Amino acid sequence: MLKITLTHEGSDHAAHQSLQAAVEAWASEHLGPLLAGYPGDLHLHATVKHHSKGAAKCTAHLRLHLPRKDVLVAHGEAIDIQSALAEAEKRLLREVKKHKERLHGQADYRRKARRARLRQLKAAQVAVPEQVQTQTRHGIEPLLPQLTRIVRHELAYLRASGELPSQDPSVQDVVDEAVLAVLTQGQADRPAETLLRELLREAFRVLDAEVEARRRHGEIVSLQSSPEQDAVDQAEAMVQEELYEFYQPDEALQLSDIVADDTLPAIETDETRTDDTSARDYGLGRLVGLPIVWRRVWMLAELERLAMADIAAVLDLELARAEHLLAHARAFFDAHLRQAGF
């Protein structure tokens, strides 16, 4: 059962009664179907105010109390009270839908969205002649190792930065969808450079769609389940990079563990370092902190050695913009390397 309380400041009793009836009618029509499965009592509290000053003469504030102490809030403001209330109601409906989707499972939602995309691609694939698909597959096969490597790196950094969960999607999921998207384009006799650009563009689109779904709907973690492996540890395992961590001694520490061993080679310091291996390892660790577009431009230019024109085409950027982002990424690394003593 939904209980509705309206607080109206700045108008007479007749207006209050009219607004109360309008809110109740809206809640019955829109909120009722969405909240039909909720057990217990629900409470919607609406606060409407008239202001004598400011551009927004009226404000409406909606607060929906759900079972288990969940509270959804929406705010609207406009010149007249009806418009302010309509804006708040629209936002509250969006919050209720998002809340229900989260309760039904974020992982399930992402998998359903991915399956919907695959169904659309498979439907488009039927219209492509089999001969064209065969030629495209032959051209894609030599590019799969490079595509898989790039996807593995990008997916590792997205997980380490918290943009994506630990298991879903997998590297193969992203690669398969990217390949299917290129097959549905129906173009034959494309050179390897063009195919690689299209494969990377589709792979990044898949990853962007997964990140957007994660940001929009959030993720609920069960308190009864075991904690997942640390995201940075997973990223290190995926791309075979080591991020140096501070070692803290425990009660098992022995005196022999801290006594210097003259038989071991001298420890390399900043002054004795003769190559840039350590600097490279440190720089790769900083990739987690880069903005997504910066990282992709830098990774494709520095690790994959793609031409700037190809990078701009893959990321749907203007050439000057891609070069500008690469300069920013390089400056970012230079600053952090100098700060670390390299």
Side-chain angles (χ1 to χ4, degrees), residues 140-150 152:
I140 288 176
E141 285 179 1
L143 304 174
L144 287 180
Q146 185 178 10
L147 174 65
T148 303
R149 182 178 65 250
I150 294 173
R152 179 181 295 111

Side-chain angles (χ1 to χ4, degrees), residues 59-336:
T59 58
H61 190 78
L62 300 179
R63 195 167 63 250
L64 178 62
H65 295 260
L66 299 174
R68 298 189 179 183
K69 299 183 179 180
D70 290 321
V71 181
L72 305 182
V73 179
H75 180 78
E77 54 183 42
I79 298 178
D80 60 278
I81 198 63
Q82 286 78 14
S83 299
L85 193 57
E87 181 180 351
E89 290 169 348
K90 180 180 178 181
R91 292 178 178 177
L92 183 62
L93 277 180
R94 186 164 58 244
E95 292 298 321
V96 171
K97 292 177 181 177
K98 288 170 58 177
H99 182 74
K100 289 192 65 175
E101 287 173 347
R102 292 180 61 191
L103 291 179
H104 283 93
Q106 166 65 9
D108 292 340
Y109 172 82
R110 286 201 308 273
R111 282 192 289 268
K112 289 178 181 178
R114 190 179 310 123
R115 286 197 294 267
R117 295 199 304 266
L118 290 175
R119 283 195 297 269
Q120 293 177 353
L121 291 174
K122 288 184 181 296
Q125 185 183 10
V126 176
V128 180
E130 187 62 32
Q131 182 179 1
V132 175
Q133 293 189 44
T134 302
Q135 293 177 351
T136 306
R137 285 194 181 96
H138 288 328
I140 288 176
E141 285 179 1
L143 304 174
L144 287 180
Q146 185 178 10
L147 174 65
T148 303
R149 182 178 65 250
I150 294 173
V151 170
R152 179 181 295 111
H153 279 74
E154 181 65 13
L155 194 55
Y157 293 124
L158 289 173
R159 289 174 177 171
S161 60
E163 295 286 358
L164 286 179
S166 58
Q167 302 297 332
D168 191 41
S170 66
V171 174
Q172 196 60 47
D173 289 337
V174 178
V175 171
D176 290 344
E177 188 171 344
V179 170
L180 185 57
V182 173
L183 288 175
T184 59
Q185 294 176 359
Q187 301 178 21
D189 300 327
R190 284 180 286 180
E193 294 80 5
T194 302
L195 281 176
L196 180 60
R197 285 200 303 266
E198 294 300 322
L199 288 169
L200 291 176
R201 179 184 299 175
E202 296 298 336
F204 286 139
R205 285 177 179 173
V206 173
L207 291 171
D208 289 340
E210 295 291 334
V211 170
E212 178 61 27
R214 172 71 183 272
R215 289 176 177 175
R216 178 182 176 188
H217 298 280
E219 189 160 7
I220 293 177
V221 179
S222 172
L223 295 178
Q224 284 74 37
S225 62
S226 301
E228 295 184 353
Q229 182 186 1
D230 181 73
V232 176
D233 292 339
Q234 293 182 30
E236 293 173 2
M238 289 182 69
V239 297
Q240 293 83 45
E241 296 169 9
E242 181 179 356
L243 306 182
Y244 297 102
E245 299 177 354
F246 178 71
Y247 172 74
Q248 206 166 12
D250 52 27
E251 63 275 5
L253 184 67
Q254 303 293 326
L255 181 62
S256 58
D257 296 331
I258 60 176
V259 173
D261 188 349
D262 296 334
T263 63
L264 297 176
I267 298 176
E268 190 179 63
T269 64
D270 292 342
E271 290 77 14
T272 60
R273 186 180 291 109
T274 57
D275 56 57
D276 62 347
T277 302
S278 297
R280 176 181 172 83
D281 291 341
Y282 179 85
L284 289 174
R286 301 303 94 196
L287 279 169
V288 176
L290 274 179
I292 292 178
V293 181
W294 291 26
R295 180 178 66 243
R296 289 175 180 174
V297 171
W298 186 91
M299 182 174 63
L300 295 177
E302 299 291 343
L303 301 185
E304 301 301 328
R305 301 298 180 184
L306 296 185
M308 289 306 302
D310 293 334
I311 296 174
V314 167
L315 300 177
D316 292 326
L317 300 171
E318 294 182 357
L319 179 59
R321 176 63 176 166
E323 293 173 343
H324 187 65
L325 293 177
L326 179 59
H328 275 298
R330 285 172 171 168
F332 174 90
F333 279 114
D334 290 343
H336 278 271

